[in-house]
Amino acid sequence: MSWSTLGPVAVLFGAVFTNNILLTNFLGMCSFLAISKEVKSAVGLGAAVVFVMTMVNAIEWPVYYYVLVPLNLTYLGFIVYIIIIAAAVQLVEMIVERVSEPLYQALGIFLPLITVNCAVFGAVLFMIIRKYTFLASVAYGLGGGVGWMLAIVAMAGIRAKMAKAKVPRGLEGPGIALIITGIMALAFMGFSGMMRAS
Amino acid sequence: MSDTVARAAPARPRSKAHAAFFDNLGKNNPVFVQILGICSTLAVTNVVANTVVMCLGLIWATAMSNLSVSILRKWIPPRVRMIVETLIIAVWVIIVDIALRAWLPDISRQLGPYVGLIITNCIVMGRTEAYGLANPPGLSFIDGVSAGLGYSFVLLMIAVVRELMGSGTLLGLRVLGKWWTPWSIMVMAPSAFFLLAIVIWVVRGKIMKEEKK
């Protein structure tokens, strides 16, 4: 499969549906299981992830290709990515706090969580391993974020409906959440016929 | 003097080390109780060999970062401790990545980004935060190893089932004969979710039964 030849639109679509970062790559599971109890907070966290992921991918691409590669420092990549993600999240938090109080109220508590969200870091690593072009990288960040948000909001909706359902005691909480996620992943596999990247 | 110390000491330190080691395998197992850190490793459980390599990397990263954080704990300013911990973890994970690329290039290519993702694995961070920051280096190292082991144990169970049923092999060797029709679902993503849920169900059910008694 050659990922680098895909156009940005295909990458965007693929990241949302066929290669959903949560349902096929298992990234961002921790916050997914912890925050998916209410639709409202799921939307907040999801929006924050979309925002940060797009931004971070747009920043990391030039950093990797114009700084790390020419200086032969690619082995330091992990540290650089992490620092950039932490800094970007911090920056976003400060800007949001200044610009809009209600938005900060809605997103604020979720932003620090994103630094350790594997999905953001994973998106950066995938973007580099698959050798995407700049536009495709941004599209991948956006698509990955939207896909993640889609999954967590759907999950929160299902869990809200499930609240009154009777579940075997050992399965309560994370157990049943994982089974629902599995069924969602099965459903999303249906999209894979729509894209053939081979 | 040294005699009395030696005689008096074992009771507590050993039991502490013992607790640090065994709690993480059983009732404090990070996967069952906290459902943490499944992100980076669940994805590679469709092949046992990859899972083993990944788990070794994770044990190494957890143990070494727990040890280093514990050694440095008096000098890490509390306000910036998260980023310091993350950087320490990143250093150990980079070592894993370089080692894999040099010695096991094939597996390294198959694991792709997941080795790097050990950095954001909540277990590594969680152990340094919860244990390494408050305990002496020796105990922290043991805690790191056992947290890694407890986690690996669960993932290996899942990996064995997935590879056995998904391709009829174990570690690449054919175990089930020609009569076995591979369940292709087992090598795809959804099965990992289902299997993990089943493991959690069984273990939690057991824990609940014990608590009732």
Side-chain angles (χ1 to χ4, degrees):
Chain A
M1 228 186 277
S2 91
W3 298 97
S4 48
T5 51
L6 290 175
V9 179
V11 169
L12 178 78
F13 184 81
V16 178
F17 295 108
T18 56
N19 279 305
N20 189 300
I21 204 156
L22 183 95
L23 297 171
T24 59
N25 296 323
F26 305 96
L27 298 177
M29 286 294 294
C30 304
S31 31
F32 175 76
L33 290 177
I35 318 282
S36 61
K37 283 177 190 126
E38 267 178 65
V39 175
K40 216 180 143 199
S41 34
V43 172
L45 182 65
V49 167
V50 173
F51 195 57
V52 171
M53 220 186 243
T54 317
M55 210 178 81
V56 163
N57 264 17
I59 299 173
E60 307 261 13
W61 194 90
V63 168
Y64 183 79
Y65 287 102
Y66 295 120
V67 180
L68 292 181
V69 172
L71 294 178
N72 248 333
L73 285 175
T74 44
Y75 63 91
L76 281 181
F78 294 164
I79 290 188
V80 175
Y81 311 149
I82 281 283
I83 294 177
I84 292 180
I85 292 174
V89 170
Q90 197 70 206
L91 198 73
V92 170
E93 197 181 350
M94 282 175 349
I95 293 173
V96 170
E97 194 177 5
R98 276 289 168 81
V99 172
S100 146
E101 185 63 30
L103 189 65
Y104 182 72
Q105 290 295 333
L107 287 186
I109 44 165
F110 301 114
L111 283 169
L113 281 175
I114 290 174
T115 316
V116 289
N117 187 318
C118 348
V120 176
F121 189 48
V124 172
L125 294 178
F126 271 120
M127 164 276 268
I128 283 161
I129 283 181
R130 292 177 183 169
K131 301 193 172 66
Y132 283 143
T133 58
F134 178 71
L135 275 182
S137 299
V138 177
Y140 185 68
L142 179 65
V146 171
W148 197 86
M149 183 175 177
L150 186 69
I152 194 173
V153 172
M155 182 70 187
I158 296 171
R159 278 182 99 169
K161 291 269 181 213
M162 289 276 302
K164 293 220 174 73
K166 269 197 179 150
V167 175
R169 281 196 47 214
L171 266 182
E172 274 169 15
I176 194 72
L178 280 171
I179 291 184
I180 299 171
T181 318
I183 296 171
M184 273 167 66
L186 271 180
F188 269 70
M189 272 169 60
F191 287 114
S192 61
M194 296 171 74
M195 275 248 302
R196 214 165 284 145
S198 53
Chain B
M1 180 63 201
S2 65
D3 214 0
T4 52
V5 170
R7 217 177 300 141
R12 271 194 64 204
R14 199 184 291 160
S15 68
K16 238 185 166 178
H18 190 268
F21 192 81
F22 283 97
D23 276 5
N24 280 331
L25 294 182
K27 65 174 184 206
N28 246 337
N29 189 307
V31 178
F32 304 144
V33 184
Q34 305 146 336
I35 325 288
L36 279 185
I38 39 187
C39 351
S40 59
T41 326
L42 203 55
V44 300
T45 49
N46 49 1
V47 180
V48 175
N50 292 356
T51 316
V52 172
V53 171
M54 191 71 185
C55 287
L56 289 178
L58 187 109
I59 294 172
W60 159 269
T62 324
M64 295 313 279
S65 6
N66 222 358
L67 178 71
S68 0
V69 168
S70 170
I71 293 172
L72 296 172
R73 69 185 188 280
K74 298 205 174 89
W75 293 284
I76 298 177
R79 272 188 69 92
V80 293
R81 63 174 203 286
M82 297 286 250
I83 189 77
V84 174
E85 284 161 15
T86 314
L87 292 181
I88 291 175
I89 296 166
V91 169
W92 294 114
V93 173
I94 287 177
I95 294 176
V96 174
D97 189 47
I98 292 174
L100 280 184
R101 255 188 246 172
W103 290 320
L104 299 166
D106 281 344
I107 290 191
S108 167
R109 211 167 310 123
Q110 282 174 31
L111 293 177
Y114 290 101
V115 178
L117 281 164
I118 296 178
I119 298 174
T120 47
N121 188 311
C122 327
I123 289 185
V124 189
M125 188 73 161
R127 285 334 286 175
T128 57
E129 182 81 349
Y131 205 95
L133 274 180
N135 289 284
L139 282 176
S140 301
F141 182 77
I142 294 175
D143 181 79
V145 172
S146 71
L149 277 177
Y151 177 72
S152 310
F153 157 71
V154 177
L155 285 165
L156 276 176
M157 282 197 301
I158 295 175
V160 166
V161 175
R162 284 184 76 184
E163 192 180 333
L164 193 64
M165 301 182 93
S167 18
T169 57
L170 272 184
L171 287 167
L173 300 169
R174 181 146 284 281
V175 176
L176 298 172
K178 280 221 173 81
W179 50 273
W180 178 259
T181 316
W183 300 14
S184 49
I185 183 77
M186 277 292 170
V187 291
M188 292 187 220
S191 71
F193 290 112
F194 293 133
L195 286 173
L196 185 63
I198 292 170
V199 171
I200 289 171
W201 187 8
V202 170
V203 173
R204 286 213 161 178
K206 251 190 190 155
I207 293 176
M208 280 174 183
K209 248 183 207 163
E210 272 169 23
E211 275 171 2
K212 251 186 208 164
K213 275 178 193 168

